[in-house]
Amino acid sequence: MDMGEARDRGLVLLGCGKMGSAMLSGWLDGGLPAQSVWVIDPYPSDWLKGRGVHLNEKMPSDPAIVLIAVKPQMMAEALPQISEYGGGRTLFVSVAAGTTIDSYERILGKAAPVVRAMPNTPAAIGRGITAITGNARTDERHMALAEALLSAVGQVVRLEGEHQMDAVTAVSGSGPAYVFHLIEALAAAGEAEGLPADLALRLSRATVAGAGALAEAAEEDPGQLRVNVTSPGGTTAAALDILMDERRGFPALLKDAVHAAAERGRELGK
C-alpha cells in the first residue's frame, strides 16, 4: 500500500476542521490529486469548497484510507458512515483526541487496520509532531502510509503501544498551551520590571520562538544550550537559580502539570 494506491482507490477525510484542513493542504501541495480525495464535513469552509475535492458526495466503494478528524463528540454520528469499509482493505487513521483503538474496533470490526495518531496544533503551520500507534491488524505498510500522510504537517514518531498515548498527549499534545502560557508569563514579568506591555510581549514571543528554533536546529542538547548562555554569577544564572529550584522551579512544576494532564487523559479514555 502506498500513496499511489491512495491516488487510485481514493482517500476519505471524515471531518475537515483546522487539523483536517492542514493535512489536506499538505497532501494537495505534495501532489495528491484533488479528485482522489473525498471530504465529508457538514459545515465546509469556503477554503475547502475551493479545493476541487469531492465534497459531501457519494463515497468511493473501496478507499485505500479513511482519515478520521472529527471532534470526539461527533464520533457516534460520524463513524457509522464508514463502518462498511471495515473488511480489512481500508486503513483507518484517527487524529481524534481521546478515542481509543478499541472504540473503533467495536464499530469497524476487528479486521480493520486502525492507526491512532496524536498531532499537535503547530501542525497548522507544518511544524507539528504526531505520535502514532496501530492495532493488531496494522503492518509495516500501514504504518509507513500513516507516516507519509501525517508527515504533511510535521514530524512523525512511532510509539511502543497505545499505553504511551496519554503521556504523549500530556507532553506534545497539550504542550503548546504550556509554551503559550510561558510567553504570557514572561511578558507579564517584563511588564512588571517596567517595560511597556506591547514591547514585553514582542520580546517574549520572539525569544520563545527563536529559542525553540535554535533548540531544534542545534547539534547540542537543550541542557548544553542552557549552559552556553549562562555565565557564572551573571544575570541568566540569577534567574536559573529560581527556575531550576527543585521544589518550586520548572522541573517540579512541569512534572506535576504533565502528570495531571496524563491522568486526565486516562480518565477520559475509560
Side-chain angles (χ1 to χ4, degrees):
M1 183 180 288
D2 57 25
M3 290 301 286
E5 194 169 348
R7 281 188 288 270
D8 296 338
R9 291 170 52 198
L11 184 158
V12 174
L13 178 57
L14 190 63
C16 197
K18 290 181 180 179
M19 189 63 66
S21 296
M23 290 187 292
L24 176 59
S25 180
W27 300 333
L28 298 179
D29 289 346
L32 184 66
Q35 285 299 297
S36 295
V37 180
W38 278 255
V39 178
I40 307 302
D41 192 293
Y43 307 106
S45 65
D46 291 339
W47 176 88
L48 176 58
K49 293 175 183 177
R51 294 308 97 191
V53 300
H54 299 277
L55 181 57
N56 295 325
E57 299 177 10
K58 182 180 179 181
M59 290 189 284
S61 60
D62 182 35
I65 309 131
V66 172
L67 195 138
I68 303 165
V70 298
K71 290 180 170 58
Q73 58 267 33
M74 301 289 291
M75 199 66 69
E77 179 182 345
L79 285 187
Q81 300 179 64
I82 56 171
S83 60
E84 64 184 280
Y85 301 136
R89 281 178 50 81
T90 298
L91 169 65
F92 295 87
V93 179
S94 170
V95 296
T99 305
T100 63
I101 288 174
D102 181 66
S103 298
Y104 291 116
E105 290 180 339
R106 285 199 299 268
I107 295 174
L108 303 173
K110 294 286 187 179
V114 178
V115 171
R116 182 181 171 192
M118 170 52 64
N120 61 4
T121 53
I125 57 168
R127 295 294 302 275
I129 187 163
T130 303
I132 62 174
T133 188
N135 69 347
R137 298 293 297 184
T138 57
D139 57 25
E140 176 57 31
R141 297 175 307 132
H142 296 124
M143 296 299 286
L145 180 56
E147 284 186 341
L149 287 171
L150 296 164
S151 65
V153 292
Q155 302 178 51
V156 182
V157 296
R158 298 189 190 187
L159 304 183
E160 294 177 1
E162 193 175 21
H163 64 282
Q164 294 181 323
M165 193 61 81
D166 290 317
V168 167
T169 301
V171 173
S172 58
S174 299
Y178 315 157
V179 178
F180 300 148
H181 185 53
L182 171 62
I183 295 172
E184 289 181 297
L186 186 56
E191 189 176 357
E193 291 298 321
L195 293 175
D198 57 345
L199 176 58
L201 180 57
R202 183 176 178 184
L203 289 168
S204 300
R205 182 187 286 125
T207 297
V208 172
L214 178 58
E216 191 169 51
E219 293 184 1
E220 300 99 326
D221 64 34
Q224 186 58 51
L225 292 175
R226 170 182 51 78
V227 171
N228 292 349
V229 298
T230 307
S231 301
T235 58
T236 306
L240 288 176
D241 283 344
I242 294 172
L243 292 176
M244 296 179 71
D245 184 276
E246 293 183 0
R247 292 172 299 171
R248 62 176 185 140
F250 274 170
L253 188 62
L254 280 176
K255 185 177 180 180
D256 287 349
V258 169
H259 180 68
E263 283 294 290
R264 183 57 176 156
R266 295 180 187 108
E267 292 171 3
L268 292 174
K270 291 179 180 178

